[in-house]
């Protein structure tokens, strides 16, 4: 009985330590989630401004470079930019993105090339011999705007050279604190009709572009690519922190439930030990009388 009680006490001590760790990680993830949401909203504002400028140039100019627009080429090779984390303990966050990407590749009739942001995705697809063009192992929330150029510039060059015909982002979109979902968003080629949402119509104005509308559009497309990539990285990081906070909260609740059960089990074992001791005392007293 004493050995059983000692075993229960060791388990209680171990689970109590785990509970303190998961609770601390939950609080850290909650703080990071708040910061990431603020950065995401800030980046989204600039992305909307760039998109509006592209729409205005497209609507007002007589001609823009067709190579960046939908329908300009046959899609033979698709490049998927995959956003995962570089750390674990975030529930099904990474698994959802990886499974979604695998389904896309298997269902697609085009050749697939990958760009990975986050080491979890890179490790998974490298083991399965996927063709990976660029890797970025740092966590998504540490990706700076300048670092997005290390990804966007080579991809735009490959797009222009015809090595890839389509560039698609695969990342986790933030719905709310409890819900995140994996989505795809095509960066190139651009479908300008998708930018006119909710039936909004852009009115043409007499605008003179320097050096030309084509030059302005060529300048805006890389900026649009960089901001789209940066915004997706920040949104993915926001979802990662939300998923980790939820996973740690669930782990913390499970640890609390286990501690309650173990404490009941310990109390019963202790009560049984006390009862046995009383029985021994009474039996000994009766034997002497």
């Amino acid at each position: 009985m004493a050995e059983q009680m000692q075993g229960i006490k060791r388990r209680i001590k171990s689970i109590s330590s785990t509970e303190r760790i998961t609770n601390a990680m939950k609080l850290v993830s909650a703080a990071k989630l708040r910061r990431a949401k603020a950065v995401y909203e800030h980046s989204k504002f600039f992305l909307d401004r760039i998109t509006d400028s592209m729409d205005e140039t497209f609507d007002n100019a007589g001609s823009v470079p067709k190579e960046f627009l939908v329908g300009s080429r046959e899609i033979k090779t698709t490049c998927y930019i995959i956003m995962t984390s570089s750390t674990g303990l975030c529930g099904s966050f990474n698994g959802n993105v990886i499974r979604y990407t695998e389904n896309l590749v298997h269902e697609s009739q085009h050749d697939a090339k990958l760009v990975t942001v986050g080491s979890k995705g890179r490790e998974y697809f490298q083991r399965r011999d996927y063709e990976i063009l660029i890797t970025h192992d740092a966590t998504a929330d540490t990706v700076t705007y300048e670092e997005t150029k290390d990804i966007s510039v080579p991809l735009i060059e490959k797009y222009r050279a015809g090595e890839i015909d389509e560039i698609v982002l695969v990342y986790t979109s933030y719905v709310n604190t409890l819900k995140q979902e994996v989505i795809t968003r095509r960066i190139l080629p651009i479908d300008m009709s998708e930018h006119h949402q909710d039936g909004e119509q852009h009115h043409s104005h007499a605008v003179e572009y320097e050096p030309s509308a084509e030059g302005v559009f060529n300048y805006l497309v890389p900026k649009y690519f960089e901001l789209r990539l940066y915004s997706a990285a920040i949104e993915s990081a926001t979802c990662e922190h939300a998923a980790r906070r939820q996973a740690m909260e669930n782990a913390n609740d499970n640890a609390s439930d286990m501690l309650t059960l173990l404490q009941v089990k310990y109390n019963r074992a202790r009560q049984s030990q006390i009862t046995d001791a009383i029985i021994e005392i009474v039996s000994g007293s009766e034997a002497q009388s």
Side-chain angles (χ1 to χ4, degrees):
M1 185 63 69
E3 292 182 0
Q4 181 185 4
M5 291 178 62
Q6 287 297 321
I8 295 173
K9 286 181 71 174
R10 282 194 295 270
R11 289 190 64 191
I12 289 175
K13 184 177 180 180
S14 175
I15 294 172
S16 296
S17 299
T18 302
E19 183 186 33
R20 287 193 293 271
I21 293 171
T22 55
N23 187 58
M25 292 183 68
K26 180 184 73 172
L27 296 176
V28 170
S29 295
K32 288 184 176 180
L33 173 61
R34 287 192 295 271
R35 289 197 298 269
K37 284 176 65 177
V39 176
Y40 167 64
E41 292 296 334
H42 193 62
S43 68
K44 190 173 183 297
F45 169 77
F46 287 102
L47 178 61
D48 291 341
R49 292 294 299 272
I50 287 287
T51 303
D52 289 342
S53 297
M54 289 177 60
D55 290 348
E56 185 176 354
T57 304
F58 183 80
D59 289 338
N60 292 316
S63 64
V64 294
K66 302 299 182 183
E67 63 175 331
F68 292 122
L69 302 182
V70 168
S72 61
R73 64 174 74 182
E74 181 184 357
I75 306 299
K76 297 179 180 178
T77 303
T78 300
C79 175
Y80 297 98
I81 304 176
I82 306 157
M83 301 275 182
T84 60
S85 73
S86 295
T87 54
L89 299 177
C90 48
S92 60
F93 175 80
N94 292 313
N96 290 341
V97 177
I98 289 170
R99 284 191 297 272
Y100 193 93
T101 303
E102 277 196 312
N103 290 336
L104 281 178
V105 173
H106 291 157
E107 293 173 3
S108 175
Q109 298 178 351
H110 312 140
D111 293 334
K113 299 182 180 181
L114 306 182
V115 171
T116 61
V117 178
S119 63
K120 294 297 183 181
R122 193 246 323 147
E123 291 168 358
Y124 181 89
F125 289 109
Q126 269 186 345
R127 287 196 299 268
R128 287 155 180 80
D129 296 326
Y130 283 80
E131 183 177 357
I132 301 177
L133 300 177
I134 303 171
T135 63
H136 189 286
D137 283 357
T139 54
D141 58 350
T142 64
V143 176
T144 65
Y145 179 73
E146 290 299 320
E147 288 176 333
T148 61
K149 294 181 180 178
D150 297 335
I151 299 174
S152 63
V153 171
L155 290 184
I156 290 177
E157 289 176 355
K158 290 179 181 297
Y159 179 84
R160 281 177 162 157
E163 296 179 32
I164 53 179
D165 304 304
E166 185 181 40
I167 301 175
V168 177
L169 270 171
V170 184
Y171 66 102
T172 309
S173 177
Y174 183 83
V175 179
N176 54 51
T177 305
L178 299 177
K179 183 180 179 182
Q180 304 87 40
E181 58 186 14
V182 182
I183 64 170
T184 59
R185 189 177 294 276
R186 182 174 56 200
I187 302 181
L188 288 176
I190 301 170
D191 187 353
M192 297 305 299
S193 64
E194 292 180 355
H195 294 172
H196 296 177
Q197 298 176 354
D198 302 324
E200 180 184 356
Q201 297 295 326
H202 291 259
H203 301 287
S204 297
H205 304 283
V207 179
E208 186 175 338
Y209 293 95
E210 289 292 342
S212 65
E214 182 176 352
V216 172
F217 202 82
N218 278 324
Y219 172 80
L220 289 175
V221 167
K223 297 299 179 185
Y224 168 77
F225 195 137
E226 292 161 12
L227 270 172
R228 178 66 73 188
L229 186 60
Y230 179 69
S231 180
I234 297 302
E235 187 173 6
S236 179
T238 303
C239 295
E240 178 190 344
H241 296 317
R244 182 171 290 110
R245 189 203 67 80
Q246 186 63 37
M248 291 302 99
E249 183 175 359
N250 292 339
N252 194 65
D253 292 342
N254 291 337
S256 296
D257 293 340
M258 290 182 68
L259 284 174
T260 300
L261 293 175
L262 285 173
Q263 191 63 52
V264 171
K265 191 174 181 180
Y266 177 81
N267 291 340
R268 287 176 178 172
R270 184 167 178 270
Q271 184 64 45
S272 178
Q273 185 183 43
I274 293 172
T275 302
D276 290 344
I278 292 174
I279 291 174
E280 288 179 5
I281 293 172
V282 172
S283 298
S285 175
E286 290 177 350
Q288 291 178 356
S289 60

